[in-house]
Amino acid sequence: MKEIQMHFRALKVAYMFKQHEIISLIGRFNCLTHLRLALKIKRDENMSKIKIYVASPYDAMLNRGFSLDEVMQVAKKTKKNAINFFLGFEFDYFSPVLEFGDKGLSRDVAMKSCFAELLMADFLYIGDGEFVNKSEGIYEEYRFCIENNIAVVFARREIREEFKQRLDAENSAKNAF
């Protein structure tokens, strides 16, 4: 019976390819196995790679005295963790810190570039580094994804809950006026 249930879940997930449906799946399944199957099928049918946007702290670290080299090392580690998280699939991984971090862009220009990249992504991956929950940029990317129905995957449930509570509080404050 359990095998039939697992097979049914896999089939059910395999047909849900739209972003809002995938967002729904992330909330319902405690295991990404079925989601990975759906993504593999989507990728095979579309003949294109899934794009994962990998968020890592930038200003949050620089403002605390870390060097650009240290920030880049954290971004590389976060990208490697994202690759391990989505184990077994050849997705395209995009790290804005690795792409834009050493270009000397203003924060506004960098965030606009990040949002443009997010619109082309299938997922935002938020890792579990020390400064993730202190990063305004990562939180803004998260909020942008929620507003634009882009799936968000967290490495740690605690960070997901913290971001969700923060967004709920912001929305409650907006609705109070």
Side-chain angles (χ1 to χ4, degrees), residues 1 4 11 20 24 36 50 53 55 63 66-67 69 71 88 103 119 129 131-132 140 152 158-159 162:
M1 181 68 171
I4 293 171
L11 287 175
H20 72 277
S24 167
R36 288 182 179 139
I50 302 297
Y53 180 105
N63 293 338
F66 288 89
S67 69
D69 186 51
V71 171
K103 304 281 191 253
L119 287 172
F131 296 99
V132 169
E140 289 175 35
V152 181
E158 296 83 9
I159 295 173
E162 186 176 330

Side-chain angles (χ1 to χ4, degrees), residues 25-86:
L25 292 173
I26 292 169
R28 279 189 273 159
F29 291 101
N30 60 359
C31 176
L32 285 178
T33 304
H34 306 301
L35 182 58
R36 288 182 179 139
L37 174 63
L39 291 171
K40 181 181 183 324
I41 293 169
K42 176 183 176 185
R43 184 195 65 208
D44 291 346
E45 284 183 354
N46 293 340
M47 301 302 290
S48 63
K49 287 188 177 182
I50 302 297
K51 183 175 180 179
I52 310 294
Y53 180 105
V54 181
S56 60
Y58 183 76
D59 281 341
M61 290 183 68
L62 290 177
N63 293 338
R64 286 175 174 77
F66 288 89
S67 69
L68 181 58
D69 186 51
E70 290 170 310
V71 171
M72 294 296 212
Q73 290 304 316
V74 168
K76 288 176 186 174
K77 181 180 176 189
T78 304
K79 184 176 177 181
K80 183 178 178 182
N81 290 344
I83 292 168
N84 289 333
F85 189 85
F86 291 101

Side-chain angles (χ1 to χ4, degrees), residues 6-177:
M6 294 295 284
H7 180 69
F8 174 75
R9 284 185 189 162
L11 287 175
K12 181 179 175 186
V13 173
Y15 292 104
M16 297 184 174
F17 300 124
K18 295 179 183 171
Q19 286 183 336
H20 72 277
E21 292 170 323
I22 291 175
I23 291 169
S24 167
L25 292 173
I26 292 169
R28 279 189 273 159
F29 291 101
N30 60 359
C31 176
L32 285 178
T33 304
H34 306 301
L35 182 58
R36 288 182 179 139
L37 174 63
L39 291 171
K40 181 181 183 324
I41 293 169
K42 176 183 176 185
R43 184 195 65 208
D44 291 346
E45 284 183 354
N46 293 340
M47 301 302 290
S48 63
K49 287 188 177 182
I50 302 297
K51 183 175 180 179
I52 310 294
Y53 180 105
V54 181
S56 60
Y58 183 76
D59 281 341
M61 290 183 68
L62 290 177
N63 293 338
R64 286 175 174 77
F66 288 89
S67 69
L68 181 58
D69 186 51
E70 290 170 310
V71 171
M72 294 296 212
Q73 290 304 316
V74 168
K76 288 176 186 174
K77 181 180 176 189
T78 304
K79 184 176 177 181
K80 183 178 178 182
N81 290 344
I83 292 168
N84 289 333
F85 189 85
F86 291 101
L87 194 61
F89 295 101
E90 294 181 25
F91 295 153
D92 283 332
Y93 295 89
F94 176 81
S95 168
V97 171
L98 296 177
E99 293 295 322
F100 309 136
D102 60 355
K103 304 281 191 253
L105 303 175
S106 71
R107 187 177 194 291
D108 287 342
V109 170
M111 290 308 294
K112 285 178 184 174
S113 298
C114 290
F115 295 149
E117 291 292 336
L118 277 168
L119 287 172
M120 295 184 288
D122 293 288
F123 288 97
L124 165 61
Y125 171 82
I126 298 177
D128 63 352
E130 180 181 351
F131 296 99
V132 169
N133 60 342
K134 296 173 179 80
S135 172
E136 285 302 312
I138 294 175
Y139 178 74
E140 289 175 35
E141 291 164 339
Y142 164 76
R143 187 174 57 221
F144 181 85
C145 287
I146 297 302
E147 292 168 357
N148 289 281
N149 293 320
I150 300 167
V152 181
V153 176
F154 288 85
R156 280 193 23 228
R157 178 176 286 145
E158 296 83 9
I159 295 173
R160 180 184 73 195
E161 291 303 315
E162 186 176 330
F163 277 27
K164 185 179 181 318
Q165 287 173 0
R166 186 173 167 187
L167 185 63
D168 289 346
E170 285 178 8
N171 289 336
S172 293
K174 285 179 190 175
N175 293 333
F177 293 106

